[in-house]
Amino acid sequence: MDRFKIHGGKKLNGTVQISGAKNAALPAMAAALLTSDPVTLQNIPRVRDIITMAKLLAHMRCVVGSPDLPPSEFTIRAENVSMQEAPYELVKTMRASVLTLGPLVARFGHARVSLPGGCAIGARPVDLHIQALEALGAETKVEHGYVEARAKRLRGATFRFPKITVTGTENILTAAVLAEGETILENSAMEPEVTDLAELLIKMGAKIEGVGTSTLRVQGVDKLHGATHAIIPDRIETGTFLVAGAITGGELLLTNCEPGHLKTVIEKLRSCGVEIKCEGNGKVRVRAGKKLVAADVTTEEYPGFATDMQAQFMALATQAEGVSKVRETIFENRFMHASEMARMGANISIDANLAVVTGPTPLSGAPVTASDLRASAGLVLAALVADNTTTIDRVYHIDRGYERIEEKLTQVGAHIERVTDSR
Ligand code: EPZ
């Protein structure tokens, strides 16, 4: 199991190229199941979850080809899919495998996908994915840890999500495009990753209106065709590097990003005294202002402050003057990083879904353990300003969603090394 050793206290300066968004690439890959034609995806991040999704598609007998290794471009051919099953072994390592459910039932009339189960950040059920598929006429059965769905052909329907769900919206959107008649999805997620998926589907011949809003109106078609699509930049990686620049008191130029996708995060960081300049052409410059000051944050669905930026914001709050209240409203257990940051000297108290961070506190290097992807990112950021050495255990979490983070950080002056245990 790999660990990071980070020697903190270095100001970061230089240019960082932002990768494609993992959470947009995963549903796009699943959407390739909707057609027998080739679907080419560009700007794919080279991260572990993408490899897992490629393995899953290969297990279903899709041909996943790539001109380079590890790939940033894939062509997926779902011509001879003979296995409509997502097995437990793959789903347990990546919940997003559930995204194959919608496309498989829509195109093949049958899917069997392992239930993802809970994870470190919360229970994360998929009941709403199942309810919505049933609304489209699928017969579903949850048995032996698997959800099985069948439908000769899905039928369009109106479904209102009782709670906003990102992958739930994506799953049902990729089912509705091949359903008979009109589907109206109300209270849909509006995350840029959903919009990116809708744009890919439209290129494949789907008829979708209301893209970018909470009501998606889909006219089902009989068949979809191949397409080529470049995945949007990763807004969470962008936000993470904005905090990296700010927290270390350096200056970073981020390229290949889309600042329009993280307006709320940018506004919040500015209110903490961080200087952020959007320079056009996908470039954003971040510089720590004179002084970091506290701010309150409540995580919300898009366009609100992303839960995937909460841990990184908390790291920043430890270095800001005053009291920052951080309220997590999306997941019930997403403060695991707080106790690790406290072990590094942060002053954080937790009451249910509210974390109160009082800063600034000097952080001191310590051995810490990453509990999930974004928690790991928060710990890396805290380690960048801690004195001495921080060792972060279980960095496989960060490898799931950040492309070569240690290389990108090293290029701009961080002292970070990956230690591979032979244990
Ligand atoms: C997506 O997860 C992202 N994953 C998450 O990113 C992100 O944190 C989350 O959206 C919220 O923005 C991918 O896109 C692959 P939800 P998802 O369904 O879709 C409840 C990362 O670090 N819910 O929007 O699984 C659920 O428990 C990851 O990259 C139900 O109750 O999240 C949660 O409380 C972590 N029933 C809330 O809704 C359901 O059927 C929102 O979850 C579905 C969800």
Side-chain angles (χ1 to χ4, degrees), residues 11 28 123 130 139 161 163 180 245 354:
K11 280 189 182 182
I130 299 173
E139 278 179 25
F161 288 99
K163 184 174 190 171
E180 193 178 339
L354 178 70

Side-chain angles (χ1 to χ4, degrees), residues 30 40 85 127 149 154 160 172 235 248 254 260-261 276 347 395:
T40 299
E85 180 174 304
D127 55 327
L154 295 171
R160 184 177 177 80
I172 307 315
R235 63 193 168 105
T248 61
L254 311 185
H261 290 166
I276 298 173
N347 182 347
V395 298

Side-chain angles (χ1 to χ4, degrees), residues 65-403:
S66 158
D68 58 327
L69 207 78
S72 65
E73 181 175 321
F74 274 147
T75 296
I76 301 167
R77 287 181 183 78
E79 204 176 352
N80 298 310
V81 173
S82 56
M83 173 81 77
Q84 294 108 32
E85 180 174 304
Y88 175 66
E89 290 67 39
L90 291 169
V91 178
K92 77 174 180 204
T93 62
M94 187 189 64
R95 305 178 49 82
S97 311
V98 78
L99 284 165
T100 56
L101 184 63
L104 286 175
V105 200
R107 178 157 163 229
F108 303 101
H110 172 244
R112 190 168 179 268
V113 174
S114 172
L115 285 168
C119 71
I121 62 177
R124 303 183 74 187
V126 289
D127 55 327
L128 303 179
H129 302 228
I130 299 173
Q131 263 182 44
L133 269 186
E134 285 175 350
L136 265 59
E139 278 179 25
T140 68
K141 195 165 71 178
V142 177
E143 214 173 56
H144 311 302
Y146 278 76
V147 52
E148 195 160 356
R150 280 180 195 279
K152 265 210 181 92
R153 180 159 184 202
L154 295 171
R155 288 185 314 272
T158 296
F159 183 79
R160 184 177 177 80
F161 288 99
K163 184 174 190 171
I164 297 175
T165 157
V166 177
T167 49
T169 302
E170 292 164 346
N171 223 341
I172 307 315
L173 183 61
T174 44
V177 286
L178 285 183
E180 193 178 339
E182 184 178 66
T183 299
I184 301 173
L185 299 176
E186 295 172 347
N187 203 28
S188 298
M190 296 189 286
E191 268 66 3
E193 293 76 18
V194 177
T195 297
D196 198 42
L197 171 66
E199 279 165 7
L200 164 65
L201 293 169
I202 290 168
K203 285 185 191 164
M204 292 168 71
K207 298 209 165 80
I208 309 171
E209 283 173 21
V211 175
T213 74
S214 63
T215 303
L216 296 168
R217 205 175 270 270
V218 185
Q219 300 295 336
V221 295
D222 293 339
K223 220 172 163 213
L224 292 175
H225 51 74
T228 296
H229 183 71
I231 299 296
I232 52 169
D234 195 315
R235 63 193 168 105
I236 307 301
E237 188 196 18
T238 309
T240 304
F241 277 99
L242 286 179
V243 175
I247 202 169
T248 61
E251 180 172 334
L252 293 179
L253 177 67
L254 311 185
T255 62
N256 190 35
C257 47
E258 176 46 76
H261 290 166
L262 62 166
K263 283 188 187 145
T264 314
V265 168
I266 289 177
E267 271 166 32
K268 192 53 74 179
L269 294 179
R270 282 183 177 144
S271 77
C272 294
V274 181
E275 288 175 18
I276 298 173
K277 204 164 138 212
C278 302
E279 299 190 345
N281 255 339
K283 291 187 181 142
V284 183
R285 191 175 294 277
V286 59
R287 190 184 306 149
K290 287 195 187 74
K291 188 166 99 177
L292 285 171
V293 290
D296 296 341
V297 149
T298 298
T299 62
E300 281 167 350
E301 294 88 357
Y302 192 82
F305 192 96
T307 172
D308 288 349
M309 275 301 298
Q310 182 255 103
Q312 300 89 317
F313 181 82
M314 197 180 285
L316 186 79
T318 68
Q319 301 307 299
E321 190 168 309
V323 175
S324 300
K325 291 184 183 152
V326 180
R327 199 176 289 276
E328 172 59 53
T329 72
I330 307 292
F331 293 111
E332 61 273 25
N333 190 28
R334 211 175 194 182
F335 282 150
M336 309 264 278
H337 43 278
S339 49
E340 297 299 281
M341 288 179 191
R343 295 184 52 249
M344 297 171 72
N347 182 347
I348 306 174
S349 64
I350 306 274
D351 181 11
N353 72 340
L354 178 70
V356 179
V357 188
T358 307
T361 44
L363 299 182
S364 65
V368 292
T369 301
S371 53
D372 71 82
L373 170 56
R374 308 303 170 187
S376 331
L379 293 176
V380 167
L381 293 168
L384 289 175
V385 282
D387 73 359
N388 233 305
T389 305
T390 299
T391 311
I392 305 180
D393 221 345
R394 302 200 182 167
V395 298
Y396 59 83
H397 286 296
I398 211 160
D399 293 336
R400 292 185 48 202
Y402 286 87
E403 180 172 323

